[in-house]
Amino acid sequence: MSIATIFEIVLAAVVLGLGIWTIVVRETYSATVGFVAYGLLVALIWVRLDAIDVALTEAAIGGGLGGVLLLGAAAQLRDSEPAVTDAAGNAVRVCAAILSALTAATLAGAVLVLPDPAPTLAPAAVSNAWATSLANPVTNVLMAFRAMDTMLEKVVLLLAIIGVWSLAPDSAWGGHPGPRHQADPHGVLVFLARLLPPIGIVVGIYVLWTGANHPGGAFQGGAILAAMWLLAIMAGLADTPPVSSRRLRLILVAGPGLFLVVGIAGLLFGSAFLSYPPAQAKPLILAIEVAMILTIAATLGLLLAGAPERRTGQ
Amino acid sequence: MSLLGDIITIVAVSAGAFFFLAGTVGLLRFPDTLTRLHALTKADNLGLGLVVLGLLPQAASLRDGFKLVSIWLLGLLAGATVSQLIARAARQGESAR
Amino acid sequence: MALKAASRAAWFLCLWLVLAGADPADIPAAAAAIAAATWTSLRLLEPSTARRSVRAIGQLVLLFLYHSVVAGTDVARRALDPRLPLRPGFVAYPTRLSSGIRRNVFTTLTSLLPGTVPTGEENGQLVYHCLDVEQPVVAELAAEEAALVRALYND
Amino acid sequence: MSGVTVFGLCAAAAVGLGLYGLITNPQPLRKIIAFNLLGSGVFLLFGVIGRRGAAAGMGNDPVPQALVITGVVVAFSATALAIALVLRLFQTTGSTTLSNAAPSGTGSNPSGD
């Protein structure tokens, strides 16, 4: 047994242990902390699986922003905890345990009898890379070969933000999402929020730019930019824009909008919906990615801020 | 040259791992939040610094070396500021009790 | 002001070069990143007017590295000692640095000093939590403050 | 047994754990966490299958990778929406349970606006 395999077994065991902890621990807050640690270690598993693009996404969005979201909610709901008494009965527990064990066993069996050699689309993705002149095959799949998925996913982001906003009480509609944060102006949080965002902006734009040829892209870069924005908001140095702001709405639809325009142009002048002419593929994809990173950063940040709570001008 | 580099790597990374281990022992043994913070910030920053120092001889280029050093600097900044935030919350929690 | 902006932009250019390397094809992205970062940086953090001394900054860095090693060794020794030699407590340190960024820089630096963690301010004094209150903490903090003032805030 | 298989089994167990938590935990927030655990197990299965399909100089098949990246973002949006719903429920009724007794019991325990 090699050292690598021992490391992998230990990693898998720790991840599973954290998974069990998040399910069985009594306090919801502890469960969320466990889930954040779980997400970061799962990112390590993705590194071991040689999927660096996914590892970056998982660490930034799954572990990082998702963790902030869950921790914030758990902190707000902390007081409601003792009121909950209607835990599942023993019969339900036993049935759920049997069902879950069966599901897990079936999946484990499926993993063990996967065909050898495994089917793969990697050669097809690599041999068609000339069509876009991007060297990162994952970006090629995201932006060209399965561009439809990526475009629809932007629409899902939009729908989610509309859903969150529509939960606002009538009196707050059109106002700023989330509470106005106020921190000690001489405190350390404000200090960090003054120092870090410029560095994060350089790193975020670099991650977007390098995504053409190396692991990275609009999702990972957008998550970094969103995190910097949120840091400034939490330190009280910036405020969320009111949801009635036209500029904000323009940014939110920029990504999917440009994607759609390019797609329809492909339908009219090219061979199919979302087909890029190979000569212009790279600049077109870059333009879409720039629009997308703005949309992604704004949407992720606003999803974390939550529903509008305050009227404009209050 | 490469032998010297490898020796530096082995010594420094082992020392870094030792400080991480000591920091974790402190995290488990120290009595309260504030003393545990000492264990984490001090020992882990030194541990990370030593690991970075140990990896420098293995860096393929000067740029990779700078990347490693900037990881250490960002880690320092994060550790030093977040530890102060936790410490303030812990002290206020203590005096409120 | 323009000089300050240029010096900040130079820092971000260095960061970009470390991340991406020097490639002419990167120029549009690098320009966008540096412009956005410089603008944000000037908005968030006003340029300081104090004189800086390169030599004193070098001394501060060396002092900092030395303290990091001492601090890490000190904590490791205490953590691994079976008797767990701790005498924790709070120490107030009256600083002459002005409130705000300068104090923040100071507390961030001193959070790496052996045996101290800054825990905020009370009545204008910085409150430090110490692993061992019998160590000469206040004297060490004063030495660190003097080094910081010589390096960055000599006005 | 190779490392890839170990992660495959880990992913299968995560799906089972998530399913169990989703059914048995009464609090909506815990259900959301359990659902995310389930989802991350499914994503990991994709990753394991993509790793086995490593070819053409790539360590992992890019197609499942791209699908998982899309999936992670969609899961995040769904989580954000679900959490917003739970918080709104808590604000209006003062309770975070979805039990049958909630509609009649809410009047006695209003703490939100």
Side-chain angles (χ1 to χ4, degrees), chain A residues 8 22-23 25-26 28 35 38 46 49 81 86 93 100 104 114-115 120-122 137 141 149 153 157 167 300, chain D residues 3 7 12 16 20 25 27 30 36-37 40 43 47 51-53 58 60-61 66-67 73 76-77 88 90 99:
Chain A
E8 279 156 354
T22 57
I23 295 300
V25 69
R26 273 190 69 83
T28 306
F35 186 72
Y38 169 89
W46 284 108
L49 289 173
E81 199 136 274
D86 52 348
R93 278 177 188 280
S100 315
L114 280 174
T120 174
L121 289 167
V141 174
D149 295 359
E153 181 230 330
L157 276 177
L167 293 170
L300 293 180
Chain D
F7 291 146
Y20 176 77
N25 268 325
Q27 291 145 290
R30 298 296 292 268
N36 270 302
L37 200 65
S40 100
F43 294 150
R51 177 75 179 115
R52 295 181 81 256
M58 291 212 56
N60 201 315
D61 189 348
L67 294 182
V73 179
F76 174 81
S77 337
R88 187 80 180 110
F90 177 62
S99 66

Side-chain angles (χ1 to χ4, degrees), chain A residues 46-220:
Chain A
W46 284 108
V47 174
R48 298 298 301 181
L49 289 173
D50 249 327
I52 309 295
D53 291 89
V54 185
L56 284 171
T57 315
E58 175 70 36
I61 299 180
L65 294 181
V68 176
L69 191 65
L70 287 170
L71 284 173
Q76 284 193 45
L77 297 176
R78 222 173 191 177
D79 308 330
S80 74
E81 199 136 274
V84 176
T85 49
D86 52 348
N90 276 336
V92 175
R93 278 177 188 280
V94 171
C95 289
I98 293 172
L99 179 67
S100 315
L102 276 178
T103 313
T106 313
L107 287 173
V111 167
L112 290 176
V113 299
L114 280 174
D116 221 11
T120 174
L121 289 167
V126 171
S127 64
N128 286 311
W130 59 269
T132 60
S133 49
L134 305 180
N136 180 357
V138 179
T139 307
N140 264 338
V141 174
L142 274 172
M143 300 303 299
F145 308 144
R146 306 274 325 176
M148 186 70 125
D149 295 359
T150 312
M151 191 192 81
L152 289 178
E153 181 230 330
K154 292 285 116 24
V155 179
V156 168
L157 276 177
L158 263 188
L159 287 177
I161 198 86
I162 293 171
V164 169
W165 283 0
S166 60
L167 293 170
D170 283 350
S171 60
W173 176 248
H176 298 264
R180 178 88 170 100
H181 289 272
Q182 261 157 359
D184 173 11
H186 300 310
V188 189
L189 184 63
V190 175
F191 173 64
L192 190 64
R194 288 182 192 280
L195 222 55
L196 203 56
I199 300 172
I201 287 172
V202 175
V203 175
I205 295 179
Y206 163 71
V207 168
L208 166 76
W209 180 252
T210 195
N213 299 323
H214 303 285
F219 298 99
Q220 298 90 340

Side-chain angles (χ1 to χ4, degrees), chain A residues 221-243:
Chain A
I224 296 173
L225 294 186
M228 294 303 124
W229 190 35
L230 283 166
L231 180 60
I233 289 174
M234 283 176 184
L237 295 176
D239 194 7
T240 48
V243 302

Side-chain angles (χ1 to χ4, degrees), chain B residues 1-17:
Chain B
M1 184 58 208
S2 82
L3 181 69
L4 183 67
D6 288 351
I7 291 174
I8 294 177
T9 301
I10 292 171
V11 170
V13 173
S14 309

Side-chain angles (χ1 to χ4, degrees), chain B residues 29 38 42 45 63 84 91, chain C residues 79 81 111-113 116 119:
Chain B
R29 286 188 73 201
H38 285 271
K42 310 292 196 288
N45 282 336
R63 190 157 71 79
Q84 290 179 64
R91 181 168 66 93
Chain C
D81 191 318
S111 77
L112 277 310
L113 264 184
T116 60
T119 67

Side-chain angles (χ1 to χ4, degrees), chain C residues 31-108:
Chain C
I34 293 167
T38 310
W39 183 80
T40 317
S41 163
L42 288 173
R43 242 179 77 112
L44 290 176
L45 192 65
E46 287 183 5
S48 154
T49 51
R51 270 186 300 124
R52 285 159 195 207
S53 143
V54 176
R55 229 188 101 195
I57 290 178
Q59 284 173 349
L60 186 69
V61 169
L62 285 182
L63 187 70
F64 177 79
L65 289 178
Y66 168 73
H67 275 147
S68 299
V69 175
V70 175
T73 322
D74 175 63
V75 162
R77 181 179 63 76
R78 289 176 202 270
L80 298 175
D81 191 318
R83 285 170 294 124
L84 208 63
L86 297 176
R87 276 178 294 273
F90 291 100
V91 167
Y93 173 71
T95 177
R96 277 181 296 133
L97 292 168
S98 57
S99 213
I101 297 290
R102 294 188 176 193
R103 259 185 213 195
N104 292 327
V105 171
F106 179 66
T107 53
T108 304

